[in-house]
Amino acid sequence: MSFGLSIPRLLCGFCALFCMFVVPQVFSPAGSIAAPNTSAIQASTRNLPGQPPQRKTKEPVRWRPRIDSRAEFDSLSRTYYQGRFYALPHIMFVIDRAAKEGAGNRVYYVNSKRYSFHGEFANANYLTLERGREFFRRNYLEANRRFILGTIAWQTKAGKFTFEFWEGDLATADIVRETSRALSKNFFAPLFFKPNSARQEEVSEQIARDVPRLPPSEINAPGDYVALNAATAIGVLRIVDRMTDETIIDRNEIVIFREPPISLTPLQGVITTTFSTPLAHANLLAKGWGAPNAYIKDADRLFGPLEGRFVYFETREDGYTLRPAETSETLEAGRRLAKRSDLLTPEADLEFRQLTELKNQGKRDARRFGAKSANLGEVMSAARAGAVRDVIVPAGFAIPFFHYTKFIEENNLEETIVEMLGNDRFNHDPAYRKQRLAELRAKIQQGKMNEEFVRAVIARRHELLGDKGVFARSSTNSEDLPNFSGAGLYTSVPNVRDDNALVEAIKTVWASLWNYEAYEARESFGINHSAVYPAVLIQEGINAEAAGVLITTNPFDREDRRSVYVNAKRGLGIRVVEGRRVPEQLIFNPRTGAVRVLTRSGEDTMLTFDERGGVREVEIETERRVLTDAVTRRLSRAALQIERAFGGRDQDIEWITIGNQIYIVQSRPYVER
């Protein structure tokens, strides 16, 4: 599946046209999108339910002046996403505003099997001599254009035909009205306007009374199935209503969740009956573990009879398989699960004790301050050098690992930890393990802090950050390891205002090293628990107007690795990664600068700072737009610059905004295994 299937971006060649002619030094015609394979398209189109067979002609027509039936539409259409989530038949249209025909403009319904681009058709049929930059500027950007260029698509999910423009097309309200009138005179079925960008959504609102519309949300609903991670596993099927503090997931289970989990311990497979985006923490964890992960509508009802049995579960882009496992498959899966590689011991410098500002850190300092803090220091350095522009990293300082080890020693907890890790029941009884970990966290929380250390932290806090509310954020040496992200495993405390509360927050962050989910994730990956240490990042709190996460790749389309996928919600970003409600989803294409709208935010409330400390929930207006196109472009381009600062590796970035100002609050490698 691909969310927000914007036909012009993927099929009409607008982007390829722009890349070929507007940026010739990077892209050449030889590297442009090839014309689709006709036989494959015909086969895919014939397989669509309820569609008549393709009309076969020895000499395919170049275009038709009108479309009087579905058969005629099919005779010109090409189909993308064959074998994926659903087929999307479409044809290009060209409206020549200079050539009058009857009472209106001449319409060309283009044989889209024969021509890949609008410009190719216009030049081949001698409609214009304009090419390259001139053709692009005149017919996509100017209101007084000669041609109106767009696409008609059969939206299989909605059961409607839409007409639409490339995301970067600056079509005005008058152009959309004119297009609707011209097409409706000679197309056999009703046509709905589908906006493909925030700007086109604004135009859509202006023409609401004149032109029928089909919003992206109606098309982009996830339907019956979305593969969130393509993989294969064998495990015991289990159905869980919702995750609670008492819920324990066994590592050999494939779980159907009726409510998307906020966090997870390692398991064999994940199925949700309610859709959550790929950037929800649980989905990022499943991807890092290599576990098959999918949204399957009504999975609890469909597969309830298999609960408690070993099943084979495979997720693919074009579908899934869930069936009883064969005996040989179960035995082999058991052997794989029992194998254990040598324990991974993350690097740690336990001698360094200086409370260090972010601006004086770099990625190599992860061995002292953990990856979260060190990576933010690296982004700060890149921003000072001009390699990353238009963003700010909030000021802060980090408490290195040394002070955690000192606290454990002073409170006589080292022996407790060693005994716990070596306890046979602890290692074989998940319920008992969860209980012992909770007891250890409580002991850490009750521990006494060294007074000299407390005075130093409070002094440093006021020296650098004044009386502002701060975040006490986790940053360990077990995060962002190769193929292991650690996303969402540890605890951070928002908007700490009181000095005494800051002391307690530091202990909360330290204690979260022993969160049940964190322990299980490290155990599954083979990380030596005794070699994992938490630092604490004390950072200026920014009361975000909008916040979210992004990745510097397109998780829906492996062919579109250079785009940026953005999730956004109003207020603080805590809920963006929970996955409970669908956020605003956007895709930025750096080649064209276009922003594609996939979904708008489904939130009715947001989180904001409480004046007394912590956060509170407030109601928000039903206006669903979170980010403007301009902010999305600046954010995405900064993200790509951050990616380059980390050697070109895809990044998973957390960000916030106040007005037009963008803040970066985390950057970690995007783990896809």
Side-chain angles (χ1 to χ4, degrees), residues 45-254:
T45 306
R46 283 199 300 271
N47 289 335
L48 291 173
Q51 291 192 20
Q54 289 270 351
R55 175 180 298 177
K56 296 182 179 180
T57 57
K58 291 183 179 179
E59 295 292 334
V61 297
R62 297 185 176 189
W63 57 277
R64 290 182 182 276
R66 58 185 304 112
I67 301 293
D68 290 319
S69 67
R70 181 59 190 266
E72 289 188 354
F73 175 85
D74 289 340
S75 72
L76 303 183
S77 72
R78 60 191 178 197
T79 302
Y80 274 25
Y81 296 105
Q82 307 104 301
R84 293 186 63 164
F85 299 99
Y86 62 91
L88 205 64
H90 57 274
I91 60 173
M92 296 181 291
F93 66 80
V94 174
I95 299 175
D96 189 347
R97 304 170 85 187
K100 299 297 181 181
E101 197 166 81
N105 299 330
R106 176 176 293 173
V107 179
Y108 298 87
Y109 293 101
V110 178
N111 184 341
S112 300
K113 297 182 177 72
R114 180 166 183 167
Y115 300 101
S116 298
F117 314 131
H118 290 87
E120 178 187 355
F121 170 80
N123 294 148
N125 289 276
Y126 305 105
L127 302 184
T128 180
L129 296 179
E130 291 178 346
R131 297 176 183 271
R133 293 176 182 271
E134 186 66 14
F135 182 86
F136 176 86
R137 179 181 60 80
R138 289 288 303 276
N139 297 294
Y140 297 122
L141 307 182
E142 294 183 358
N144 186 28
R145 58 187 66 178
R146 161 76 183 274
F147 300 107
I148 300 176
L149 310 172
T151 301
I152 294 175
W154 170 248
Q155 301 291 345
T156 55
K157 288 187 175 182
K160 297 176 181 178
F161 283 99
T162 58
F163 73 92
E164 52 191 283
F165 307 105
W166 168 56
E167 299 98 314
D169 195 315
L170 302 185
T172 63
D174 287 339
I175 287 176
V176 178
R177 291 190 187 97
E178 183 179 342
T179 302
S180 180
R181 288 194 300 267
L183 297 178
S184 62
K185 291 178 181 178
N186 45 42
F187 194 81
F188 74 99
L191 289 167
F192 297 78
F193 174 53
K194 175 180 171 286
N196 283 323
S197 68
R199 185 186 183 283
Q200 291 177 14
E201 283 186 336
E202 293 173 358
V203 169
S204 177
E205 293 297 328
Q206 299 172 28
I207 61 171
R209 295 184 179 181
D210 308 318
V211 178
R213 300 174 298 162
L214 188 66
S217 58
E218 187 172 337
I219 301 169
N220 297 326
D224 295 341
Y225 171 73
V226 178
L228 295 165
N229 191 46
T232 302
I234 307 290
V236 177
L237 189 66
R238 177 180 175 185
I239 299 174
V240 173
D241 286 331
R242 65 188 300 268
M243 291 288 286
T244 67
D245 289 340
E246 288 71 42
T247 306
I248 295 175
I249 304 296
D250 195 278
R251 293 173 197 153
N252 76 337
E253 290 180 330
I254 294 171

Side-chain angles (χ1 to χ4, degrees), residues 149-442:
L149 310 172
T151 301
I152 294 175
W154 170 248
Q155 301 291 345
T156 55
K157 288 187 175 182
K160 297 176 181 178
F161 283 99
T162 58
F163 73 92
E164 52 191 283
F165 307 105
W166 168 56
E167 299 98 314
D169 195 315
L170 302 185
T172 63
D174 287 339
I175 287 176
V176 178
R177 291 190 187 97
E178 183 179 342
T179 302
S180 180
R181 288 194 300 267
L183 297 178
S184 62
K185 291 178 181 178
N186 45 42
F187 194 81
F188 74 99
L191 289 167
F192 297 78
F193 174 53
K194 175 180 171 286
N196 283 323
S197 68
R199 185 186 183 283
Q200 291 177 14
E201 283 186 336
E202 293 173 358
V203 169
S204 177
E205 293 297 328
Q206 299 172 28
I207 61 171
R209 295 184 179 181
D210 308 318
V211 178
R213 300 174 298 162
L214 188 66
S217 58
E218 187 172 337
I219 301 169
N220 297 326
D224 295 341
Y225 171 73
V226 178
L228 295 165
N229 191 46
T232 302
I234 307 290
V236 177
L237 189 66
R238 177 180 175 185
I239 299 174
V240 173
D241 286 331
R242 65 188 300 268
M243 291 288 286
T244 67
D245 289 340
E246 288 71 42
T247 306
I248 295 175
I249 304 296
D250 195 278
R251 293 173 197 153
N252 76 337
E253 290 180 330
I254 294 171
V255 181
I256 297 174
F257 293 96
R258 290 193 171 106
E259 180 181 284
I262 295 176
S263 62
L264 273 181
T265 56
L267 71 178
Q268 293 303 299
V270 179
I271 301 170
T272 54
T273 60
T274 302
F275 177 73
S276 59
T277 80
L279 296 189
H281 266 153
N283 294 334
L284 288 175
L285 290 170
K287 184 177 285 290
W289 299 327
N293 180 17
Y295 155 73
I296 302 176
K297 184 179 179 181
D298 296 328
D300 52 341
R301 178 180 58 81
L302 293 171
F303 303 109
L306 294 177
E307 187 173 15
R309 298 176 59 183
F310 274 95
V311 297
Y312 171 92
F313 181 39
E314 178 186 5
T315 53
R316 306 177 303 275
E317 287 188 341
D318 62 344
Y320 67 92
T321 300
L322 201 162
R323 58 167 172 77
E326 298 175 2
T327 303
S328 60
E329 293 172 329
T330 303
L331 292 174
E332 176 58 27
R335 283 192 289 269
R336 286 199 304 269
L337 199 60
K339 288 181 180 178
R340 182 66 176 271
S341 60
D342 291 338
L343 289 178
L344 173 63
T345 300
E347 186 180 6
D349 178 353
L350 302 182
E351 300 300 321
F352 187 86
R353 59 185 69 187
Q354 183 177 343
L355 306 179
T356 305
E357 284 189 71
L358 275 177
K359 68 178 184 179
N360 295 324
Q361 297 178 38
K363 57 187 176 183
R364 293 182 179 178
D365 290 312
R367 62 194 179 95
R368 295 171 172 171
F369 310 111
K372 181 182 293 180
S373 183
N375 285 356
L376 282 176
E378 189 74 20
V379 175
M380 263 190 172
S381 297
R384 287 198 303 271
V388 175
R389 298 181 295 277
D390 269 351
V391 299
I392 294 174
V393 176
F397 67 96
I399 300 170
F401 302 144
F402 166 84
H403 296 284
Y404 166 78
T405 61
K406 188 71 172 174
F407 173 85
I408 294 296
E409 178 186 326
E410 291 175 345
N411 286 274
N412 300 313
L413 291 173
E414 189 170 10
E415 186 175 334
T416 301
I417 294 171
V418 171
E419 183 278 326
M420 180 189 73
L421 294 178
N423 184 286
D424 187 66
R425 184 180 175 190
F426 176 86
N427 286 294
H428 293 91
D429 184 340
Y432 180 71
R433 183 162 60 247
K434 192 169 190 177
Q435 173 192 328
R436 288 292 305 272
L437 288 167
E439 291 171 355
L440 175 59
R441 292 197 303 275

